[in-house]
Amino acid sequence: MRAAPTILHLDMDAFYASVEQASKPSLRGKAVIVGGLGPRGVVATASYEARRFGVHSAMPMGQARRLCPNGAYLIPRFTLYRQVSDIVMAMLRELSPLVEPLSLDEAFVDLEAGGVAFDSDSARATGERLRADIRAATGLSGSVGLAGSKMLAKVASEEAKPAGLLLIEPGTERELLAPMSVRTLPGVGPATGEHLRRAGITTVGELAEAGEDELVRMVGRAHGAGLYRMALGLDDRPVVAERDAKSVSVEDTFDVDLHDRVRIRGEVQRLADRCVQRLRGSGHSGRTIVLKVRRYDFSTLTRSETLRGPTDDPAVVREAAARLLEAVDTTGGVRLLGVGVTGLADYTQEDLFAQSSAAEAEAEAEAEAEAAEHEDDGAGGAGGAAEPEATVGGAGPSEGQERSAEPQEAPERRWTAGSDVRHVLYGPGWVQGSGVGRVTVRFEQPGSEPGRVRTFRVDDPDLAPSDPLPLVGDLS
């Protein structure tokens, strides 16, 4: 614990939903829900207007629609969220070299290490200035907590929401924490909270009064001792500038359970390729391949295989995931699949035993092709090159070739609610909805007045997908 509140915690307010409201003027002040739009989608973020209806993060999208039927339901636009996050994180790094990002919209900052705050007054002034700078650069609001420890700074930012700042003066921690719910403390989830409630402990003050020995008896030594320290406001964890990723993974939830084993294998291969793309993008390789399968009855199975050395070879990851799938019973259907890589390293080990059989097969095929080429050369020397087989009725293509050459009907273009588009005549806009061969677009952009709505055929050649516009600045 520090003697001055120089640890700052920033948490952007309803980040995804706020970005959508800032970029879509017609949604300002309205209920916005961002997440998967399919029948098994989950809410990623809900605006404060939607939260009044009981909608919250991690809620099934179907339940959210029942609670808030008139809300705007949008797909996430992670490209834009990352762009905005980069702006915010750059501002934090101007304050201090010690910035610990927790997610796209949340981070700890050690203000003392940056020389910008040494006491309560300078810490408060820095926090207020940061909030104003974020608003000017992005048009968004963030909540700031300031305290002598990371735990208390996070509690303070949560209490300051939305768009506020709370500073916890050293020495007042226990008084502030005492009336709060035990769920306020990090690591106290629904299960632990319910266990404590049955024991008559619902507030942080009651947790502190219970004593360390009683808490150890109730929830175990490691968790009990940690809970007691947090209840007293004690937390000595430093702000760590680099938080190394422990794993890289991707997963998909399917609208309809998958039963076809061939389809399941294909999805696993596709997920393996996406996982490797993300792995390489982070500059890592990994040693342990993990397969996650959630079955029709919501039971979840996890299988893993550890290689001799770290790899970022997509063929190796695909094959390991396929082997893991063979050991999983998918009878009855699969609702979710995931592929991950753990045991990360920043190098790859070219281990002969870890090479894929696909690579071996490719080399074998090349050898066979080379041998065939030599055979052809020999035949040509003896009697000349073989004549191509003639087609009946002349030198034209065969009937089957004619059929394959016929133009295929283009698949119908898909327009997902919330995605960015641009029209040749009307300019930038976003998709409000689509169906029965039509797509409805609202033409507006950040900083404009709410725009007009127009409807087009889904195959209108003047309408095309577009990149998102910046929230503030040049919108051309």
Side-chain angles (χ1 to χ4, degrees):
M1 286 288 297
R2 297 185 178 184
T6 54
I7 293 181
L8 179 148
H9 181 258
L10 171 71
D11 195 353
M12 300 297 290
D13 299 322
F15 184 54
Y16 297 172
S18 294
V19 170
E20 297 299 338
Q21 288 177 320
S23 64
K24 300 174 171 67
S26 59
L27 297 183
R28 292 171 190 160
K30 297 182 180 178
V32 174
I33 300 95
V34 179
L37 301 185
R40 290 178 176 171
V42 174
V43 175
T45 305
S47 68
Y48 287 100
E49 295 84 358
R51 295 180 191 186
R52 298 192 190 107
F53 292 88
V55 180
H56 57 77
S57 299
M59 171 181 285
M61 192 61 79
Q63 182 181 355
R65 289 184 185 275
R66 289 191 294 272
L67 292 173
C68 187
N70 297 320
Y73 291 83
L74 308 173
I75 60 165
R77 295 187 296 164
F78 289 109
T79 299
L80 179 58
Y81 305 154
R82 290 190 185 96
Q83 290 172 358
V84 178
S85 175
D86 288 345
I87 294 172
V88 173
M89 295 301 166
M91 291 182 176
L92 299 183
R93 292 186 179 96
E94 290 177 0
L95 297 177
S96 172
L98 293 183
V99 175
E100 182 177 340
L102 304 179
S103 62
L104 289 177
D105 62 336
E106 186 180 1
F108 289 109
V109 185
D110 187 333
L111 300 180
E112 188 172 326
V116 295
F118 300 96
D119 56 19
S120 297
D121 290 342
S122 57
R124 184 184 298 276
T126 301
E128 294 288 8
R129 187 168 60 252
L130 173 65
R131 291 177 57 242
D133 290 345
I134 290 173
R135 172 76 75 174
T138 68
L140 304 177
S141 67
S143 296
V144 169
L146 292 156
S149 71
K150 290 167 68 172
M151 182 201 78
L152 290 171
K154 186 171 175 63
V155 168
S157 68
E158 190 64 32
E159 291 296 305
K161 283 186 169 294
L165 181 149
L166 177 63
L167 184 148
I168 300 178
E169 291 284 0
T172 66
E173 299 89 356
R174 291 192 63 177
E175 180 183 354
L176 178 82
L177 290 173
M180 293 183 179
S181 166
V182 291
R183 292 289 305 277
T184 303
L185 300 178
V188 181
T192 302
E194 177 60 22
H195 188 56
L196 293 172
R197 188 194 65 80
R198 289 199 298 267
I201 299 174
T202 59
T203 67
V204 177
E206 292 168 345
L207 200 63
E209 291 173 3
E212 183 174 355
D213 292 342
E214 178 63 15
L215 293 176
V216 167
R217 186 189 67 78
M218 291 175 59
V219 297
R221 174 159 298 281
H223 198 26
L227 278 179
Y228 183 64
R229 284 181 56 80
M230 287 191 292
L232 299 179
L234 301 177
D235 177 19
D236 297 323
R237 294 173 301 156
V239 176
V240 181
E242 295 296 333
R243 301 177 76 247
D244 291 335
K246 297 180 180 179
S247 65
V248 173
S249 63
V250 295
E251 61 183 42
D252 274 346
T253 300
F254 305 103
D255 293 343
V256 179
D257 289 349
L258 302 185
H259 294 270
D260 183 2
R261 188 76 178 184
V262 175
R263 168 80 188 281
I264 293 171
R265 280 197 292 266
E267 291 294 338
V268 168
Q269 300 294 288
R270 183 178 59 82
L271 288 167
D273 287 341
R274 283 174 51 197
C275 182
V276 170
Q277 287 179 356
R278 186 171 294 183
L279 184 70
R280 288 179 168 178
S282 68
H284 289 95
S285 59
R287 191 178 180 195
T288 301
I289 314 304
V290 181
L291 175 71
K292 177 180 177 181
V293 179
R294 181 166 297 151
R295 298 188 292 191
Y296 69 98
D297 58 358
F298 285 88
S299 62
T300 302
L301 303 177
T302 303
R303 300 289 184 266
S304 64
E305 176 181 319
T306 299
L307 307 174
R308 290 176 176 268
T311 184
D312 63 356
D313 184 343
V316 173
V317 176
R318 279 197 302 267
E319 289 181 4
R323 286 193 296 271
L324 294 170
L325 179 62
E326 292 305 313
V328 176
D329 180 13
T330 58
T331 305
V334 170
R335 61 185 294 119
L336 178 147
L337 289 169
V339 174
V341 178
T342 65
L344 301 187
D346 56 3
Y347 66 95
T348 59
Q349 180 174 324
E350 298 299 330
D351 189 331
L352 291 176
F353 293 99
Q355 299 306 306
S356 68
S357 61
E360 295 174 0
E362 184 179 346
E364 187 176 329
E366 288 178 358
E368 291 177 356
E370 186 176 351
E373 184 178 338
H374 287 309
E375 289 178 6
D376 288 344
D377 289 343
E387 291 287 333
E389 184 177 340
T391 59
V392 177
S398 69
E399 182 182 347
Q401 288 172 317
E402 285 180 351
R403 279 199 299 267
S404 64
E406 293 177 0
Q408 300 294 315
E409 184 178 346
E412 184 177 282
R413 298 166 76 187
R414 295 187 61 187
W415 303 98
T416 311
S419 57
D420 297 280
V421 295
R422 181 177 288 272
H423 192 273
V424 171
L425 180 60
Y426 303 110
W430 59 279
V431 175
Q432 280 200 323
S434 64
V436 291
R438 296 289 186 269
V439 55
T440 300
V441 177
R442 185 180 289 274
F443 291 98
E444 59 186 5
Q445 54 189 306
S448 73
E449 294 296 320
R452 297 187 62 180
V453 173
R454 297 183 183 275
T455 299
F456 308 90
R457 298 192 318 274
V458 293
D459 59 352
D460 191 316
D462 291 339
L463 189 67
S466 175
D467 292 329
L469 296 173
L471 300 187
V472 175
D474 183 14
L475 303 179
S476 59

